[in-house]
Amino acid sequence: MSLRFGMLGLLCYQDMSGYELKKTFDTSLQFMWNTKTSQIYRELQRMEEQNHVTSSVEVQDKKFDRKVYSITNRGRDAFHEWVNKFPKNLIAPIRDEFIIRVFFGEQIEANNLTFEIQRFKKQQEEELETILFIEKEAEKSAVEERLEDSLFYWLLTIKRAKKGIIAEIDWANEALELIKNKGREEQ
Amino acid sequence: MSLRFGMLGLLCYQDMSGYELKKTFDTSLQFMWNTKTSQIYRELQRMEEQNHVTSSVEVQDKKFDRKVYSITNRGRDAFHEWVNKFPKNLIAPIRDEFIIRVFFGEQIEANNLTFEIQRFKKQQEEELETILFIEKEAEKSAVEERLEDSLFYWLLTIKRAKKGIIAEIDWANEALELIKNKGREEQ
DNA sequence: AAGTTATATATAACTTGTTGAATATAAATT
DNA sequence: AATTTATATTCAACAAGTTATATATAACTT
């Protein structure tokens, strides 16, 4: 259900098509909820069936028609209820196939693990750059669209994402060091 | 597929029933891959169909029969291939409904957000205790079952989990402070 | 003695998420 | 001029994950 409410939350800011919703997801909720475009479209259909949103087709000359979705009062109520009612367990379920492989590390060929942890570290560093970019964008759009009240909360979530990534990079450095020393001892 | 390979990895250590597999998951892979018992049983069926495991029913007097699964050579090969072939993208997808709510924080009633972040912090602190317990258990069973080679990698993943949790607690403290100050300014 | 909780096993129904493909235009590149 | 890439929309098939339920014994609590 969280996908639905993430979408409803974004539709509170403004009306959007499925495509725009996906793009907005990618520059805001991306680091708290992953989703594929196909899932967005399917969910929009269901949301329309359940009157959480309405759609209107906007005819554009030469281009595709845009199907633009608006949140309904019913949708707003449902969102408001959801956002105020937190689940019992606040720790997010984890599904991380990288670290499972590390767990079974004695079955990984010697240099392969080092190589993959280095790659992991690089990807986390890139992710940090992405977050920094998103932070700037958030600040810009808060001013442009008069969403200064929202910005405070956006920045809270960005701060958390940053800390998480820094912890990953920190771990990767320590892990690489430990593996190097282990190799040395075993000579 | 990662669930399957997590299960195969554990079955490399020893034969187990579905119930035991779930319990082992909960004290080892729990903080990298969540799963429900029902999923374990269904996956075992499929794994048997595809000859990654075989089962034999162990009759016990008075108690339920135990259906004990063993990894096959085919299963071992499949696992070995999987554990050595890392995915292109090493960053795990995230699905965290707690932090989405924080993102839309201006729609949360005043004291509710503070209350929920405090609850989040407490749950993370408990999770840290759990990890510490798992760490001790890992060290114990490594000695008892002569899995000292594995222990090194287990501890790597535990180290990572710890760092992640500490980052969460750290964020929660900062967030609570920021929210307190924000409230003060707005008076 | 009765009720509850933990252990132990498993299936069915449902919901959610992923993969891959189909369709079509505009803009950029070779 | 032809090809590729980006924009834009959607659906069908499949895989994975969740919820609810059923069964049964042992151990513990009231």
Side-chain angles (χ1 to χ4, degrees), chain B residues 90-135:
Chain B
L90 300 174
I91 298 179
I94 306 171
R95 249 167 232 118
D96 186 336
E97 56 164 318
F98 164 72
I99 198 72
I100 301 182
R101 287 180 173 87
V102 177
F103 183 90
F104 295 114
E106 82 275 10
Q107 298 205 45
I108 300 175
E109 277 132 46
N111 299 316
N112 198 18
L113 183 58
T114 298
F115 174 77
E116 295 294 350
I117 295 177
Q118 280 165 346
R119 210 157 62 81
F120 173 80
K121 187 184 155 188
K122 262 174 232 146
Q123 289 185 10
Q124 292 290 353
E125 284 165 348
E126 280 164 30
E127 188 74 356
L128 191 55
E129 292 304 312
T130 305
I131 301 279
L132 261 28
F133 172 77
I134 287 175
E135 188 173 19

Side-chain angles (χ1 to χ4, degrees), chain B residues 17 19 23 38 41-42 45 64-67 95:
Chain B
S17 68
Y19 189 82
K23 273 204 300 184
S38 59
Y41 283 105
R42 185 177 53 182
Q45 280 174 12
F64 265 108
D65 294 348
R66 287 176 73 231
K67 200 171 177 185
R95 249 167 232 118

Side-chain angles (χ1 to χ4, degrees), chain A residues 106-164:
Chain A
E106 82 276 10
Q107 298 205 46
I108 300 176
E109 277 131 45
N111 300 314
N112 197 20
L113 182 58
T114 298
F115 174 77
E116 295 294 349
I117 295 178
Q118 279 164 346
R119 209 156 64 79
F120 173 80
K121 188 184 155 188
K122 262 174 231 145
Q123 289 185 9
Q124 292 289 352
E125 283 165 348
E126 280 164 30
E127 188 75 356
L128 192 54
E129 292 304 312
T130 305
I131 301 278
L132 260 28
F133 173 78
I134 287 175
E135 187 172 21
K136 271 183 227 147
E137 290 297 305
E139 277 160 356
K140 215 189 288 177
S141 78
V143 175
E144 281 168 13
E145 292 161 54
R146 293 188 193 157
L147 294 168
E148 287 90 350
D149 287 352
S150 301
L151 182 63
F152 175 81
Y153 300 98
W154 298 350
L155 293 179
L156 278 187
T157 68
I158 287 169
K159 184 187 275 286
R160 177 164 176 264
K162 279 192 211 166
K163 281 182 189 284

Side-chain angles (χ1 to χ4, degrees), chain A residues 34-88:
Chain A
N34 297 92
T35 188
K36 304 280 156 102
T37 315
S38 59
Q39 219 186 336
I40 299 250
Y41 283 106
R42 185 177 54 183
E43 196 60 30
L44 278 169
Q45 280 173 13
R46 286 188 197 158
M47 286 158 81
E48 192 165 19
E49 276 163 30
Q50 288 163 51
N51 302 313
H52 284 170
V53 297
T54 53
S55 68
S56 63
V57 177
E58 191 182 290
V59 182
Q60 304 180 101
D61 71 36
K62 288 188 184 171
K63 280 193 184 176
F64 265 109
D65 294 349
R66 287 174 74 230
K67 201 169 176 186
V68 179
Y69 291 86
S70 314
I71 188 167
T72 61
N73 286 334
R74 196 167 184 281
R76 257 173 231 280
D77 290 348
F79 177 75
H80 196 258
E81 201 192 314
W82 178 84
V83 86
N84 274 285
K85 205 162 104 198
F86 284 64
K88 217 174 284 180

Side-chain angles (χ1 to χ4, degrees), chain B residues 3-170:
Chain B
L3 172 61
R4 165 161 318 186
F5 293 110
M7 289 164 70
L8 283 176
L10 295 181
L11 287 172
C12 284
Y13 301 130
Q14 56 182 285
D15 296 352
M16 278 181 272
S17 68
Y19 189 82
E20 285 173 304
L21 254 173
K22 171 59 175 154
K23 273 204 300 184
T24 311
F25 244 84
D26 289 347
T27 52
S28 61
L29 299 177
Q30 175 241 105
F31 49 90
M32 23 197 142
W33 200 273
N34 297 93
T35 189
K36 304 278 155 105
T37 315
S38 59
Q39 220 186 336
I40 300 249
Y41 283 105
R42 185 177 53 182
E43 196 59 28
L44 278 170
Q45 280 174 12
R46 286 186 196 159
M47 287 158 80
E48 193 165 19
E49 275 162 31
Q50 288 162 51
N51 302 313
H52 283 170
V53 296
T54 53
S55 68
S56 63
V57 177
E58 192 183 288
V59 181
Q60 305 178 100
D61 71 38
K62 288 189 184 170
K63 279 194 185 176
F64 265 108
D65 294 348
R66 287 176 73 231
K67 200 171 177 185
V68 180
Y69 291 87
S70 314
I71 188 167
T72 61
N73 286 335
R74 197 168 185 281
R76 256 174 233 279
D77 289 348
F79 177 74
H80 196 258
E81 201 193 310
W82 177 84
V83 86
N84 273 285
K85 206 163 103 198
F86 284 65
K88 218 173 284 179
N89 181 13
L90 300 174
I91 298 179
I94 306 171
R95 249 167 232 118
D96 186 336
E97 56 164 318
F98 164 72
I99 198 72
I100 301 182
R101 287 180 173 87
V102 177
F103 183 90
F104 295 114
E106 82 275 10
Q107 298 205 45
I108 300 175
E109 277 132 46
N111 299 316
N112 198 18
L113 183 58
T114 298
F115 174 77
E116 295 294 350
I117 295 177
Q118 280 165 346
R119 210 157 62 81
F120 173 80
K121 187 184 155 188
K122 262 174 232 146
Q123 289 185 10
Q124 292 290 353
E125 284 165 348
E126 280 164 30
E127 188 74 356
L128 191 55
E129 292 304 312
T130 305
I131 301 279
L132 261 28
F133 172 77
I134 287 175
E135 188 173 19
K136 271 182 227 148
E137 289 298 303
E139 276 160 355
K140 215 188 289 176
S141 77
V143 176
E144 281 168 13
E145 292 160 53
R146 292 190 196 158
L147 294 167
E148 288 89 350
D149 287 352
S150 301
L151 182 62
F152 175 82
Y153 300 99
W154 299 350
L155 293 180
L156 278 188
T157 68
I158 287 170
K159 184 186 276 285
R160 178 165 175 264
K162 277 192 212 167
K163 280 182 189 285
I165 294 172
I166 288 165
E168 298 286 22
I169 294 170
D170 183 38

